[in-house]
Amino acid sequence: MKKVIIGLLVVAGLLVAGALVAPSFIDWNNYRAEIATEARKATGRRLVIEGPISVALLPTPQLSVAKVRLANLDGAHAPDMARLDALDVRIALWPLLSGRVQVSSVVLRGADIELEALADGRVNWDFSASGKGAASSPGEASAVADAVRLDQVVVSRGRVSFRDSRKNTVEKIEAIEARLAADTLSGPFVLRARATVRNIPLSLEMRAGRIAENRPTVFSGKIDLTDARAQAEVTGNLVTGRAPRAEFKLQAAGDSLAAVIGALAGGGPGPSALDRKFTLRAALAADERNIAVNDIDLAVNGTRFTGAVSARPGTVTAVDATFAANTLDLDAWLAASVGKDGPAKAGSAAAPGAADLQAGGSASDASFALPDDLRLAFDARIGGVTFNKGAMRNVTAQGQLERGVFSLTRLAAELPGGSEASVTGRLSARAGKPAFDGRAELTAADARALLGWAGVDHGAIAADRLHRASLRAGIGWQPERLELRDVDLRFDSTRIGGGVVVALRERVALGANINIDQINLDAYMAPAKAAPAAASSAKPGAASSGDGLGSFDANIRARADALTLKGMNLKGVSLDGTLAGGDLVLRALNVADFAGGKLALSGKVAALDKAPLPDLKFSLTTRAPDKLLALAGIGAGLPAEKLTPFALDGSMSSDARATKLDATLAAGELKVALKGSLADLATAPRLGLDFRADHPSYVEFVRLFLPDFTPRVAGRGPFALSARAEGAGLDLKLDNVAARLGEAEMKGAVTVALAAV
C-alpha cells in the first residue's frame, strides 16, 4: 500500500510538472488567429500581433508579446488606436497556486495610444457598442479587481494623444516614463512618472486610495515643471460611478510666472514683466455638469489677484470668470522688464512702426475665427494702477464671447488730470480676418495734466489753454485698416469733427475729412527759434524736416470756419489735397476772408519732402488792401483807398533749373504785370523778367508814394513803365526800357553793377 501511494504521488507530481513545463514547448505563434478572434469578440476591433508570442509558467508565469496593433474605429484619423512595441507580464507563482493573482511586473515598451472624438460624436475608447462578450456585473468586476495585485507596472517610451475632430485640435503626452504600484486593481495606487506635455517636461508623483463606486477616493499629488522652475501640489477626493465628481485644492509656486506662461503656450520665455516669483492657491470642484475654480489667489510681485472661474461643458461650453486686484504697480513691473531685456530700441519689436503694422496684416492672411461653441463672460477690476508715475483708478474690463463674436461691454479707467476713458465694441471675423467696431470716449478736466502724464511736451502752449477737453469717436479696425469716424473733439473753445482712415500697409496712407469751428493756432504753436549756426552751411535743396512727408501718403479735406495763424484772422478756410510719394496735389486751398479779401490756391508741389518744386495758380482779392499790405510789412504810408479794389492773380512753376512766374496785379487804377523766370535765389541769383506797370494818371501814381506831390506844371497823361530785366549775381541789366510820365517819354537801357560798389 505504501508503494502504491508513493507511486500515485510520483505520477501526480509528474502530471503537475508536465502542466507547468508544457506551455514552454507550445508554439503560441500558431494561435495568433484565435487570439485575434477573441479580441474582436471582446472589442469589435481587429488585433494584429506581428512579433513573437511566448508563454511560460516556470520559474514564474510570464507572457511576452511584441509588435501589437489594435485597429481604430472606421472614419478615425489614425488606422490604429493602439500600437505596442513589446509587452512583458510576470506573475508570482506561489500566490497564484493559492488563488491570488500577484502581478510581479508589467512592462510596456513603446506604447502609442491614439484617443479620438470623431466629428460624428463617436469616441474610439468606447467598446460597449462593438464588443459582443458578456458584460460582468459590478460585483463580479470588483471581486476580480480585489483579487489582483500589481507590484509594478512600468511604461517606457510611451505616448498618448487626444484628437478632437470636431474642434480640429490635438493634445499630446509624449516621452512617458512611468511606474505604477497597486495593492489591488481598485487601489490604493502609487504613481511616479515623467512626461512631456505641450513641449513641457514635467514629473509627477500621485497617491490615491481605494476606488469604490459612489464612494470618495482620497488622492494627493505633486507636479514639477522642471524647465519652468515651478511646482504644484493637489489634494482632494474623487467619486466614481453614476454621478462622478471631484473636489481638490491646488497650491502652486515658482521662480518665474513668465516661464510657466511661456511653457503652457507651447514654448518661449513668456512676458518678461512676469519673470518673477509667484504663488497660486485655488479650490476646484467638478461634476458631469459643472467645473468651478473658486478662491483663486495669485500673488505676483507684491500684487494679489483674486477671482473665480466656472464652466459648463456642453454643445456650447459656457465659461464665467471674475478677477479683481486692489493695486498694480505697473511701473515696477515694466522697470524690471527693461532691466532684464534692455531698453527698447527704435525699429525693434518693442517699438512697432509701419513695417510692423504691415507684418501684422500679413499674419492675418491666415483664416481667423472666434469659437462659436464657447460662451465666455468675464469681469475684471483693478482698484489702482501706477503707470508712468501716475495713477489710473477703477480700471474695469467686462465682456463676453458668444456665437463667434466678442463683445467688449466696457473697458474703462479714471486717468490723471480728472480724466475718464472708456472703450466699447465688438470683435468678429470678417472674410477670415479679425475686425473690431466700437466707440471710444475721453473726458478731461485738466488736459495739460493728462498730456504731461502721457509724456507729451506742452510747455510751449499758452498756460490758459488745454484745460477741459473731450473726445468721442467711433473706431473701426482690421489688420490693414484703422478708422476713426464721427469724431467729436473739443478743447478750450475749439470743436473738431470728421473722420480719419489709415491704411496699415508698408507705406502708410491716410484719408481725413476734418471740420473745425474755430482755432487759434498761435496759442498752440511754439515760438520760432533761431536756426543754429551750423544750419547756414546746409546745401540748397537739401532735405529738411519735411523728409517725413515722403514716408506716407494722404488724402485730406479740411475746413475751418475761423482760424488764427501768425496773427492773421482767417475765415472760411478749406483745403482739398493729396500727398503721394512726396508730391502734393493741391486741388483747392481757399480762404473766404483773408486780410479782408479772398485767397485761392491750386496746383502741385513736387518733391515736397526734399527740394519743393511748385506748380501753382493763385488768386488774391480784397477790398481792404491796407490789412494785406500791413501783413506784408509794406503798407505804411500807402493810401489804401486808392488801391481798392486789389487783385493779384498768376501762376508759378518750377523745375530743377528755374522758377517761372506769370503774375498780374490790379490795385485801384494801377496795373502791374510780371512774367519771366528766377533761378538760384539762395546762391547766385539769375533772373529774366518782363515787367510792365500802368496808371491812367502819372500824378495819382506818384501820389501813391508821395501824397503831397504837386507838379509845377499841371500834368496830364498816364504813367507807364516796361522793361526786360536780366541779371546774374549782383549785376543787373534793364533792356528795352520804355517809360512815360505824363507827356514825357524815355527809352533806353540801364546797367547796374553792384559787385563793383
Side-chain angles (χ1 to χ4, degrees), residues 460-473:
I461 299 176
D464 62 339
R465 302 287 171 164
L466 287 183
H467 288 285
R468 296 198 62 86
S470 66
L471 170 64
R472 293 176 175 83

Side-chain angles (χ1 to χ4, degrees), residues 18-361:
L20 294 173
V21 175
S24 301
F25 295 95
I26 298 175
D27 187 358
W28 294 94
N29 295 291
N30 295 328
Y31 293 89
R32 282 192 175 95
E34 288 81 355
I35 296 173
T37 298
E38 293 302 319
R40 182 178 286 274
K41 289 180 181 179
T43 65
R45 314 278 180 87
R46 180 173 57 88
L47 179 72
V48 177
I49 303 175
E50 298 175 342
I53 305 172
S54 64
V55 178
L57 296 179
L58 292 177
T60 59
Q62 58 181 330
L63 167 67
S64 296
V65 184
K67 300 296 182 183
V68 181
R69 293 185 290 112
L70 178 64
N72 216 333
L73 284 176
D74 292 338
H77 181 269
D80 297 318
M81 176 184 172
R83 295 181 295 277
L84 185 64
D85 288 345
L87 169 65
D88 293 318
V89 181
R90 296 178 183 272
I91 302 175
L93 179 59
W94 293 113
L96 184 64
L97 294 177
S98 63
R100 292 181 295 110
V101 179
Q102 181 176 339
V103 180
S104 300
S105 68
V106 176
V107 180
L108 296 169
R109 296 185 182 88
D112 191 349
I113 311 298
E114 298 266 1
L115 303 177
E116 182 175 357
L118 279 69
D120 57 12
R122 294 179 297 159
V123 292
N124 68 345
W125 58 86
D126 183 5
F127 297 98
S128 59
S130 53
K132 299 179 181 179
S136 59
S137 67
E140 292 174 340
S142 177
V144 172
D146 290 342
V148 178
R149 173 186 174 120
L150 294 174
D151 288 343
Q152 180 176 249
V153 177
V154 178
V155 178
S156 178
R157 307 189 312 277
R159 178 181 175 274
V160 177
S161 66
F162 174 72
R163 180 182 299 274
D164 190 338
S165 296
R166 296 166 296 185
K167 300 179 181 179
N168 196 27
T169 59
V170 179
E171 295 289 347
K172 297 179 180 180
I173 305 176
E174 301 177 299
I176 301 173
E177 301 288 335
R179 289 180 180 271
L180 171 69
D183 288 353
T184 70
L185 292 182
S186 299
F189 301 95
V190 177
L191 172 65
R192 292 181 176 86
R194 296 192 309 273
T196 299
V197 181
R198 290 192 174 186
N199 298 320
I200 309 169
L202 58 84
S203 60
L204 169 69
E205 182 177 331
M206 184 70 69
R207 296 177 181 272
R210 180 181 174 81
I211 299 176
E213 190 171 355
N214 299 321
R215 296 182 61 184
T217 299
V218 177
F219 67 91
S220 63
K222 295 182 179 180
I223 302 174
D224 191 342
L225 304 178
T226 306
D227 289 356
R229 309 190 305 278
Q231 305 79 36
E233 295 184 7
V234 294
T235 57
N237 60 75
L238 173 68
V239 176
T240 60
R242 295 180 179 178
R245 66 181 185 276
E247 296 178 354
F248 61 94
K249 293 184 178 181
L250 168 69
Q251 292 188 10
D255 294 336
S256 172
L257 181 58
V260 174
I261 294 175
L264 295 177
S272 58
L274 299 179
D275 187 14
R276 58 194 70 248
K277 293 183 178 181
F278 74 95
T279 60
L280 171 66
R281 292 180 175 85
L284 293 88
D287 56 29
E288 292 179 307
R289 294 176 297 176
N290 294 283
I291 301 172
V293 184
N294 296 314
D295 303 328
I296 298 174
D297 188 339
L298 172 64
V300 186
N301 195 34
T303 300
R304 289 186 60 192
F305 299 90
T306 59
V309 178
S310 64
R312 294 180 295 279
T315 305
V316 177
T317 300
V319 178
D320 292 281
T322 59
F323 293 96
N326 289 333
T327 59
L328 173 62
D329 190 345
L330 196 56
D331 283 338
W333 286 40
L334 295 177
S337 173
V338 172
K340 294 176 183 296
D341 299 339
K345 298 179 179 179
S348 67
D356 301 290
L357 293 171
Q358 170 65 12

Side-chain angles (χ1 to χ4, degrees), residues 377-451:
F378 72 90
D379 186 340
R381 301 172 185 269
I382 305 178
V385 178
T386 301
F387 175 64
N388 202 22
K389 299 181 180 180
M392 297 187 293
R393 303 186 185 281
N394 298 324
V395 180
T396 303
Q398 298 172 320
Q400 62 182 20
L401 171 66
E402 189 170 8
R403 297 181 180 178
V405 176
F406 174 74
S407 299
L408 182 62
T409 307
R410 180 175 175 81
L411 176 61
E414 297 175 10
L415 305 179
S419 306
E420 295 183 1
S422 65
V423 178
T424 60
R426 289 161 52 93
L427 176 66
S428 60
R430 189 177 300 165
K433 297 181 180 181
F436 179 80
D437 290 291
R439 189 157 188 83
E441 295 189 6
L442 171 67
T443 60
D446 187 354
R448 299 178 73 89
L450 179 64
L451 292 174

